[in-house]
Amino acid sequence: MTAPTAFAIEKDDLSGPEIAAFLEGHVLQLRELSPPGSSHALDLDALRAPEVSFWRVSEGGSLVGCGALKDLGQGLAELKSMRTSPTRVRSGVASALLTHILGEAEQRGFERVSLETGSFGFFAPARALYTRFGFEYCAPFAPYTEDPHSVFMTLELPRD
């Protein structure tokens, strides 16, 4: 039996070329998959906004994933830019990162974390992951509106 993989999860200031290229691949892929107006991936400038916290996941010094949490105000946060390297899909990267981000959200006193993801097959593994973590399907939340290409999910966080 092999030992579980240890991932390093740390805040990233989005200034390095490696993370820029990783995110560019993310945005391009999502824009190719989604019709115009239905891709809601944040670019580098939007991820650098003060209300966004961004983390990178590394393993053995290699970038294998990323994710962000956007403060929407009034105790609400949005999960953004969850991405796993295509060579590391289904290897625990997303689960480790989601655990970390939800822990951060809880520590910061958020009451709920919501997300938008795609409605078609490519996004089924992501939806399954979020469901395993307790996210439930919900109506669109600000700033989103109904879109047949989008699915909205939310998770109420434990309160002290």
Side-chain angles (χ1 to χ4, degrees), residues 10-159:
E10 55 198 2
K11 284 192 102 171
D12 191 295
D13 66 4
L14 300 160
S15 64
E18 182 183 34
I19 196 67
F22 193 78
L23 285 166
E24 182 179 353
H26 176 62
V27 170
L28 289 173
Q29 181 181 41
L30 295 181
R31 289 190 179 148
E32 287 174 3
L33 291 167
S34 302
S38 291
S39 178
H40 305 287
L42 298 180
D43 63 17
L44 273 175
D45 287 336
L47 286 168
R48 288 183 180 125
E51 66 272 13
V52 178
S53 297
F54 184 86
W55 292 270
R56 66 183 289 133
V57 183
S58 301
E59 181 182 38
S62 296
L63 176 62
V64 295
C66 67
L69 189 68
K70 181 177 182 180
D71 185 342
L72 300 177
Q74 301 179 345
L76 308 177
E78 182 181 5
L79 185 65
K80 297 296 294 182
S81 300
M82 284 283 292
R83 178 172 174 80
T84 299
S85 171
T87 63
R88 297 306 313 276
V89 173
R90 295 182 187 84
S91 67
V93 172
S95 292
L97 180 57
L98 188 53
T99 297
H100 180 85
I101 291 174
L102 292 175
E104 287 279 338
E106 208 173 317
Q107 284 181 352
R108 294 179 188 186
F110 288 109
E111 298 171 13
R112 183 175 42 192
V113 175
S114 299
L115 63 91
E116 178 276 335
T117 191
S119 63
F120 35 96
F122 175 85
F123 296 97
R127 293 190 306 269
L129 171 73
Y130 300 136
T131 299
R132 279 195 310 276
F133 273 77
F135 282 83
E136 297 178 349
Y137 291 94
C138 66
F141 55 95
Y144 301 101
T145 58
E146 284 292 339
D147 180 343
H149 305 289
S150 291
V151 169
F152 306 94
M153 303 179 83
T154 195
L155 175 68
E156 298 287 333
L157 295 176
R159 302 184 95 185

